[in-house]
Amino acid sequence: MPQGPDTEKPLPPVVVLVRPQLGENIGKAARAMLNFGLTEMRLVAPRDGWPNPSAGPAAAGADIVLEQAKVYATTAEAVADCAHVYATTVRKRGDTKPVLTPEAAATAIHSVSGRSALLFGPERSGLDIQDVSLARTILTVPINPAFGSLNLAQAVILCAYEWSKAEMLVQPPLTDQLPSAPQADLDGLIDHLEVMLEPKGYFFPEDRADATRRTLRNVLTRPGWNALEVRTLRGVLTTLGRRLRN
Amino acid sequence: MPQGPDTEKPLPPVVVLVRPQLGENIGKAARAMLNFGLTEMRLVAPRDGWPNPSAGPAAAGADIVLEQAKVYATTAEAVADCAHVYATTVRKRGDTKPVLTPEAAATAIHSVSGRSALLFGPERSGLDIQDVSLARTILTVPINPAFGSLNLAQAVILCAYEWSKAEMLVQPPLTDQLPSAPQADLDGLIDHLEVMLEPKGYFFPEDRADATRRTLRNVLTRPGWNALEVRTLRGVLTTLGRRLRN
């Protein structure tokens, strides 16, 4: 794009799977990525070669991510064009790099120019010390200390999800909720109900009547019903006021 | 716990899997939950019965969640003790309930007293309209509009993850608002009203009766009335059912 670096929107991060073992997990990672708008996958020395026939079915339609995936011999080559490399790993004693959550990493990725890469290690062992050393930052998902069992696709989806939140992929979901009915409609409902309750002794004794009316109004004001809902309730009251059919 | 309602920390939400199909997915959901500290799973009419031998291996060690899972015949029974029910579903045109992201729902769950439940539908079809009508709020994960393919365990992990994030923050003091009444109280109110409306022809014609019941339920679910308010309304109905004094 012909824009200058200071107006340019950061590119989405690259997802780098380092020595992934199962094709199925590569497919699941692709699906997780595309769900949240990430499309660029890089594979470092996949154990079973590439392409891998197990990846497609697990991708559940995210084929475009798999088709465009690029394969590299080393992690260093895979991130050579990236300005910001994050190593996803559990935090270890003696880490000397900054450790960010997926949320903080997403904020960082959105606020810098230059390409970012997220490194994910092999299913069993995770990233090795050599891979981690390529990164400027460690990315750790805060997890239940008594049960840390996050698999590859889960780690990918949480990172992609956090990135997409800042990206505003879709507008924050508005509802089709109608506005609350005007006060006059609500008053009409309350009057209707009071007129029905009065002759049945609901506001007896007399000296409690005002408090009882306030209680009733508070209960019916709380919902913020819209005009349709108020109309439904007027219909309910009209029906309740009918004599039994026979 | 012996603490008063204003110091009490909200309980973690219950995860309700409605008519789940594959045991493997139940296991994956359990793993996703426990990773982020959620332990209470409820199963509504699991297709292949319960326990399911495929669940354990997929849980990858989260056996405690599976062992403690409770089975219910209906969604209504599964959430009867819950004050706040969230239906995870994609947003549809014409939704009349508020729609929250997992993040906003997590904030809401942490800021109210009363138990919350997160409903997740069957793998293929998602929650049906009847299940959704039980909920006060819709929970939708904002997703790539060109590729929405979130599976059950992925939806569960994103909700659990968001919940766990707020869990690590300092808890803001709860308000003095009474908690919403348990779902069973609300059901009692709705039943009471329906019993009164039925003989007066409110649910006529027959082929519209289900839709009419849902409309009524939606209107009455919206407010989030507390137990006192529900009791007030029961009193109103009892009074309306009386014969006129003379």
Side-chain angles (χ1 to χ4, degrees), chain A residues 28 31-32 34-37 59-62 102-103 141-144 147-151 154 157-158 161-162 165 169-170 173-177 193 196-197 199-202 215-216 218-220 222-226 229 232-233 235-237 239-242 244-245, chain B residues 28 31 34-37 59-62 91-99 101-103 141-145 147-151 154 157-158 161-162 165 168 193 196-197 199-202 215-216 219 222-226 229 232-233 235-236 239-240 242 244-245:
Chain A
K28 286 178 178 174
R31 176 185 189 174
L34 194 55
N35 266 326
F36 295 102
E103 188 173 21
V141 180
I143 206 169
N144 181 355
F147 180 74
S149 166
L150 208 58
N151 68 25
Q154 289 174 330
I157 204 169
L158 293 173
Y161 164 75
E162 286 288 5
K165 281 200 330 197
L169 254 187
V170 294
L174 297 171
T175 65
D176 292 322
Q177 270 192 305
L193 182 57
M196 291 174 71
L197 286 168
K200 304 211 172 184
Y202 188 75
T215 300
L216 199 56
N218 283 335
V219 170
L220 298 173
R222 161 97 86 103
W225 281 311
N226 62 45
E229 291 172 321
T232 297
L233 291 168
V236 164
L237 291 183
T239 305
L240 288 175
R242 274 186 212 152
L244 279 179
R245 296 187 302 172
Chain B
K28 287 178 177 173
R31 176 185 188 174
L34 194 56
N35 266 327
F36 295 101
R91 187 191 163 194
K92 287 181 202 71
R93 190 182 296 271
D95 282 337
T96 56
K97 299 171 194 270
V99 180
T101 61
E103 186 174 23
V141 179
I143 206 169
N144 182 354
F147 180 75
S149 166
L150 209 57
N151 69 23
Q154 289 175 330
I157 204 169
L158 293 173
Y161 164 76
E162 285 288 5
K165 284 199 330 198
M168 296 169 191
L193 182 57
M196 289 173 71
L197 286 169
K200 303 212 173 185
Y202 188 74
T215 301
L216 199 57
V219 170
R222 161 98 87 100
W225 282 312
N226 63 44
E229 291 171 321
T232 296
L233 291 168
V236 164
T239 303
L240 288 175
R242 273 187 213 151
L244 280 178
R245 294 187 303 174

Side-chain angles (χ1 to χ4, degrees), chain B residues 152-236:
Chain B
L152 179 57
Q154 289 175 330
V156 170
I157 204 169
L158 293 173
C159 293
Y161 164 76
E162 285 288 5
W163 175 81
S164 78
K165 284 199 330 198
E167 185 69 356
M168 296 169 191
L169 301 174
V170 178
Q171 294 304 309
L174 295 173
T175 67
D176 290 329
Q177 269 195 309
L178 289 171
S180 295
Q183 196 78 3
D185 287 23
L186 188 64
D187 283 350
L189 173 68
I190 293 171
D191 287 350
H192 191 161
L193 182 57
E194 289 188 357
V195 165
M196 289 173 71
L197 286 169
E198 179 74 56
K200 303 212 173 185
Y202 188 74
F203 300 108
F204 184 84
E206 205 69 26
D207 62 357
R208 293 290 306 149
D210 279 355
T212 304
R213 277 174 214 279
R214 272 198 304 276
T215 301
L216 199 57
R217 172 173 278 280
N218 283 333
V219 170
L220 297 173
T221 300
R222 161 98 87 100
W225 282 312
N226 63 44
L228 278 179
E229 291 171 321
V230 169
R231 206 159 68 198
T232 296
L233 291 168
R234 294 293 293 262
V236 164

